[in-house]
Amino acid sequence: MFNRLTLLLSLAALALVAVAGVNAATSKEAWDLKGEVYPNYKIEFTNRADKAVKTVKAGTHRIKVEDKASIHNFHLKGPGLNKSTGVAFVGERIWTVTLKPGKYTYWCDPHSSMMRGSFKVVAA
């Protein structure tokens, strides 16, 4: 009886660890919008299908920011939101943000005259 109970408890613990690991990996990678800055003076804002974003529904979103150059940054501003990466930063960040209806603009601070774009957030 003791051996069966020990085996069952061990299997249950392994199952919990496996589920926790899957959930942690999924939440770490979960994003629905992406802002990217490239070394060749290109900036873009896309969805998971890699399509340019023109309109987004209001609500909570996870934005994956990929900053690929130490001479650029990614700056996003709109109603109640003003977030950016540092110019020297190179890497990825995930921002959890609440987008409210209105116009949002994204740009690179050092090169804002040529590296910028915008999208509209509409009521959900």
Side-chain angles (χ1 to χ4, degrees), residues 35-63:
E36 285 186 89
V37 183
Y38 300 90
N40 64 350
Y41 294 82
K42 178 180 174 186
I43 191 168
E44 60 186 13
F45 195 71
T46 59
N47 58 24
R48 282 197 74 83
D50 212 26
K51 303 282 185 196
V53 171
K54 299 295 179 197
T55 305
V56 176
K57 288 189 178 182
T60 302
H61 293 272
R62 288 178 52 89
I63 301 172

Short mmCIF file of all heavy atoms in Angstrom, two decimals, residues 35-63:
data_model
loop_
_atom_site.label_atom_id
_atom_site.label_comp_id
_atom_site.label_asym_id
_atom_site.label_seq_id
_atom_site.Cartn_x
_atom_site.Cartn_y
_atom_site.Cartn_z
N GLY A 35 6.46 45.39 -32.01
CA GLY A 35 7.16 46.57 -32.52
C GLY A 35 8.60 46.18 -32.79
O GLY A 35 9.24 45.58 -31.92
N GLU A 36 9.10 46.48 -33.98
CA GLU A 36 10.48 46.13 -34.33
C GLU A 36 11.24 47.33 -34.86
O GLU A 36 10.71 48.13 -35.62
CB GLU A 36 10.50 45.04 -35.41
CG GLU A 36 10.16 43.67 -34.90
CD GLU A 36 10.33 42.61 -35.97
OE1 GLU A 36 11.44 42.07 -36.10
OE2 GLU A 36 9.34 42.35 -36.67
N VAL A 37 12.50 47.40 -34.45
CA VAL A 37 13.41 48.44 -34.93
C VAL A 37 14.63 47.72 -35.51
O VAL A 37 15.24 46.89 -34.84
CB VAL A 37 13.86 49.38 -33.78
CG1 VAL A 37 14.74 50.49 -34.31
CG2 VAL A 37 12.67 49.95 -33.06
N TYR A 38 14.95 48.05 -36.76
CA TYR A 38 16.04 47.38 -37.47
C TYR A 38 17.24 48.31 -37.63
O TYR A 38 17.10 49.53 -37.65
CB TYR A 38 15.57 46.96 -38.86
CG TYR A 38 14.40 46.02 -38.85
CD1 TYR A 38 13.09 46.50 -38.87
CD2 TYR A 38 14.60 44.64 -38.83
CE1 TYR A 38 12.01 45.62 -38.87
CE2 TYR A 38 13.52 43.77 -38.84
CZ TYR A 38 12.24 44.27 -38.86
OH TYR A 38 11.17 43.41 -38.86
N PRO A 39 18.44 47.75 -37.82
CA PRO A 39 19.64 48.58 -38.02
C PRO A 39 19.57 49.44 -39.28
O PRO A 39 20.21 50.49 -39.34
CB PRO A 39 20.78 47.56 -38.14
CG PRO A 39 20.27 46.31 -37.53
CD PRO A 39 18.78 46.33 -37.72
N ASN A 40 18.77 49.03 -40.27
CA ASN A 40 18.71 49.76 -41.55
C ASN A 40 17.68 50.90 -41.54
O ASN A 40 17.12 51.25 -42.58
CB ASN A 40 18.41 48.79 -42.69
CG ASN A 40 17.05 48.13 -42.57
OD1 ASN A 40 16.39 48.24 -41.54
ND2 ASN A 40 16.62 47.45 -43.60
N TYR A 41 17.42 51.48 -40.38
CA TYR A 41 16.53 52.64 -40.23
C TYR A 41 15.08 52.30 -40.60
O TYR A 41 14.36 53.11 -41.16
CB TYR A 41 17.02 53.84 -41.05
CG TYR A 41 18.32 54.38 -40.52
CD1 TYR A 41 19.53 53.80 -40.86
CD2 TYR A 41 18.33 55.45 -39.63
CE1 TYR A 41 20.73 54.27 -40.34
CE2 TYR A 41 19.53 55.93 -39.10
CZ TYR A 41 20.72 55.33 -39.46
OH TYR A 41 21.90 55.79 -38.95
N LYS A 42 14.66 51.10 -40.25
CA LYS A 42 13.29 50.66 -40.47
C LYS A 42 12.64 50.41 -39.13
O LYS A 42 13.25 49.84 -38.23
CB LYS A 42 13.29 49.38 -41.31
CG LYS A 42 11.92 48.81 -41.58
CD LYS A 42 12.04 47.53 -42.42
CE LYS A 42 10.70 46.86 -42.59
NZ LYS A 42 10.84 45.56 -43.26
N ILE A 43 11.39 50.85 -38.99
CA ILE A 43 10.60 50.60 -37.78
C ILE A 43 9.23 50.12 -38.23
O ILE A 43 8.70 50.59 -39.24
CB ILE A 43 10.51 51.87 -36.90
CG1 ILE A 43 9.92 51.54 -35.52
CG2 ILE A 43 9.74 52.97 -37.59
CD1 ILE A 43 10.06 52.68 -34.51
N GLU A 44 8.67 49.14 -37.51
CA GLU A 44 7.35 48.66 -37.88
C GLU A 44 6.59 48.16 -36.66
O GLU A 44 7.18 47.85 -35.63
CB GLU A 44 7.44 47.57 -38.95
CG GLU A 44 8.21 46.34 -38.58
CD GLU A 44 8.37 45.37 -39.74
OE1 GLU A 44 8.10 45.73 -40.90
OE2 GLU A 44 8.76 44.22 -39.48
N PHE A 45 5.27 48.08 -36.83
CA PHE A 45 4.37 47.61 -35.80
C PHE A 45 3.43 46.62 -36.47
O PHE A 45 2.68 46.98 -37.38
CB PHE A 45 3.60 48.80 -35.19
CG PHE A 45 2.91 48.48 -33.90
CD1 PHE A 45 3.65 48.27 -32.74
CD2 PHE A 45 1.54 48.39 -33.84
CE1 PHE A 45 3.02 47.98 -31.54
CE2 PHE A 45 0.90 48.11 -32.64
CZ PHE A 45 1.64 47.89 -31.50
N THR A 46 3.50 45.34 -36.05
CA THR A 46 2.76 44.28 -36.74
C THR A 46 1.97 43.43 -35.75
O THR A 46 2.15 43.52 -34.53
CB THR A 46 3.73 43.36 -37.53
OG1 THR A 46 4.67 42.79 -36.61
CG2 THR A 46 4.48 44.14 -38.60
N ASN A 47 1.14 42.55 -36.31
CA ASN A 47 0.42 41.58 -35.50
C ASN A 47 1.13 40.22 -35.59
O ASN A 47 2.17 40.11 -36.23
CB ASN A 47 -1.05 41.49 -35.93
CG ASN A 47 -1.20 41.10 -37.39
OD1 ASN A 47 -0.32 40.49 -38.00
ND2 ASN A 47 -2.33 41.47 -37.97
N ARG A 48 0.56 39.19 -34.99
CA ARG A 48 1.19 37.86 -35.00
C ARG A 48 1.31 37.29 -36.40
O ARG A 48 2.17 36.46 -36.66
CB ARG A 48 0.44 36.89 -34.10
CG ARG A 48 0.79 37.13 -32.64
CD ARG A 48 0.43 36.01 -31.72
NE ARG A 48 1.24 34.83 -31.76
CZ ARG A 48 2.38 34.67 -31.11
NH1 ARG A 48 2.91 35.65 -30.43
NH2 ARG A 48 3.02 33.53 -31.13
N ALA A 49 0.46 37.72 -37.32
CA ALA A 49 0.54 37.26 -38.70
C ALA A 49 1.57 38.06 -39.50
O ALA A 49 1.67 37.90 -40.71
CB ALA A 49 -0.84 37.37 -39.36
N ASP A 50 2.31 38.92 -38.83
CA ASP A 50 3.35 39.76 -39.44
C ASP A 50 2.78 40.77 -40.45
O ASP A 50 3.43 41.15 -41.41
CB ASP A 50 4.44 38.90 -40.08
CG ASP A 50 5.80 39.56 -40.03
OD1 ASP A 50 6.02 40.39 -39.12
OD2 ASP A 50 6.64 39.27 -40.90
N LYS A 51 1.54 41.20 -40.20
CA LYS A 51 0.89 42.20 -41.04
C LYS A 51 0.94 43.55 -40.33
O LYS A 51 0.76 43.62 -39.12
CB LYS A 51 -0.58 41.83 -41.30
CG LYS A 51 -0.78 40.48 -41.94
CD LYS A 51 -0.49 40.52 -43.40
CE LYS A 51 -0.82 39.18 -44.03
NZ LYS A 51 -0.24 39.01 -45.31
N ALA A 52 1.14 44.60 -41.09
CA ALA A 52 1.19 45.95 -40.51
C ALA A 52 -0.13 46.26 -39.81
O ALA A 52 -1.21 45.97 -40.32
CB ALA A 52 1.45 46.98 -41.60
N VAL A 53 -0.03 46.83 -38.62
CA VAL A 53 -1.21 47.17 -37.83
C VAL A 53 -1.66 48.58 -38.18
O VAL A 53 -0.87 49.53 -38.10
CB VAL A 53 -0.90 47.06 -36.31
CG1 VAL A 53 -2.03 47.63 -35.48
CG2 VAL A 53 -0.60 45.63 -35.93
N LYS A 54 -2.91 48.70 -38.56
CA LYS A 54 -3.53 50.01 -38.83
C LYS A 54 -4.59 50.33 -37.78
O LYS A 54 -4.81 51.48 -37.44
CB LYS A 54 -4.15 50.05 -40.22
CG LYS A 54 -3.15 49.82 -41.35
CD LYS A 54 -2.14 50.93 -41.40
CE LYS A 54 -1.13 50.70 -42.51
NZ LYS A 54 0.05 51.51 -42.36
N THR A 55 -5.29 49.27 -37.31
CA THR A 55 -6.36 49.42 -36.33
C THR A 55 -6.29 48.28 -35.33
O THR A 55 -6.04 47.14 -35.71
CB THR A 55 -7.74 49.40 -37.01
OG1 THR A 55 -7.77 50.41 -38.02
CG2 THR A 55 -8.85 49.68 -36.02
N VAL A 56 -6.49 48.59 -34.05
CA VAL A 56 -6.48 47.61 -32.97
C VAL A 56 -7.69 47.86 -32.08
O VAL A 56 -8.08 49.02 -31.89
CB VAL A 56 -5.19 47.74 -32.13
CG1 VAL A 56 -5.20 46.80 -30.94
CG2 VAL A 56 -3.96 47.52 -32.96
N LYS A 57 -8.27 46.80 -31.53
CA LYS A 57 -9.36 46.97 -30.58
C LYS A 57 -8.79 47.34 -29.22
O LYS A 57 -7.75 46.85 -28.80
CB LYS A 57 -10.18 45.68 -30.47
CG LYS A 57 -11.01 45.43 -31.70
CD LYS A 57 -11.96 44.28 -31.50
CE LYS A 57 -12.80 44.12 -32.76
NZ LYS A 57 -13.77 43.04 -32.61
N ALA A 58 -9.50 48.23 -28.53
CA ALA A 58 -9.10 48.66 -27.19
C ALA A 58 -9.06 47.47 -26.24
O ALA A 58 -9.77 46.50 -26.42
CB ALA A 58 -10.06 49.73 -26.68
N GLY A 59 -8.19 47.58 -25.24
CA GLY A 59 -8.11 46.53 -24.24
C GLY A 59 -6.66 46.25 -23.88
O GLY A 59 -5.75 46.97 -24.28
N THR A 60 -6.46 45.16 -23.14
CA THR A 60 -5.13 44.77 -22.72
C THR A 60 -4.44 43.99 -23.83
O THR A 60 -5.02 43.07 -24.39
CB THR A 60 -5.19 43.93 -21.43
OG1 THR A 60 -5.84 44.71 -20.43
CG2 THR A 60 -3.81 43.55 -20.96
N HIS A 61 -3.23 44.39 -24.13
CA HIS A 61 -2.43 43.73 -25.17
C HIS A 61 -1.03 43.49 -24.64
O HIS A 61 -0.53 44.21 -23.79
CB HIS A 61 -2.34 44.61 -26.42
CG HIS A 61 -3.65 44.79 -27.11
ND1 HIS A 61 -4.10 43.92 -28.07
CD2 HIS A 61 -4.61 45.73 -26.98
CE1 HIS A 61 -5.28 44.32 -28.50
NE2 HIS A 61 -5.62 45.42 -27.85
N ARG A 62 -0.40 42.46 -25.18
CA ARG A 62 1.01 42.19 -24.90
C ARG A 62 1.79 42.51 -26.17
O ARG A 62 1.55 41.91 -27.21
CB ARG A 62 1.22 40.75 -24.45
CG ARG A 62 0.67 40.56 -23.03
CD ARG A 62 0.78 39.15 -22.51
NE ARG A 62 2.09 38.56 -22.60
CZ ARG A 62 3.05 38.64 -21.66
NH1 ARG A 62 2.83 39.35 -20.57
NH2 ARG A 62 4.20 38.04 -21.81
N ILE A 63 2.70 43.47 -26.05
CA ILE A 63 3.49 43.91 -27.19
C ILE A 63 4.92 43.39 -27.04
O ILE A 63 5.58 43.66 -26.04
CB ILE A 63 3.51 45.45 -27.29
CG1 ILE A 63 2.09 46.00 -27.44
CG2 ILE A 63 4.40 45.90 -28.45
CD1 ILE A 63 2.00 47.50 -27.36
#
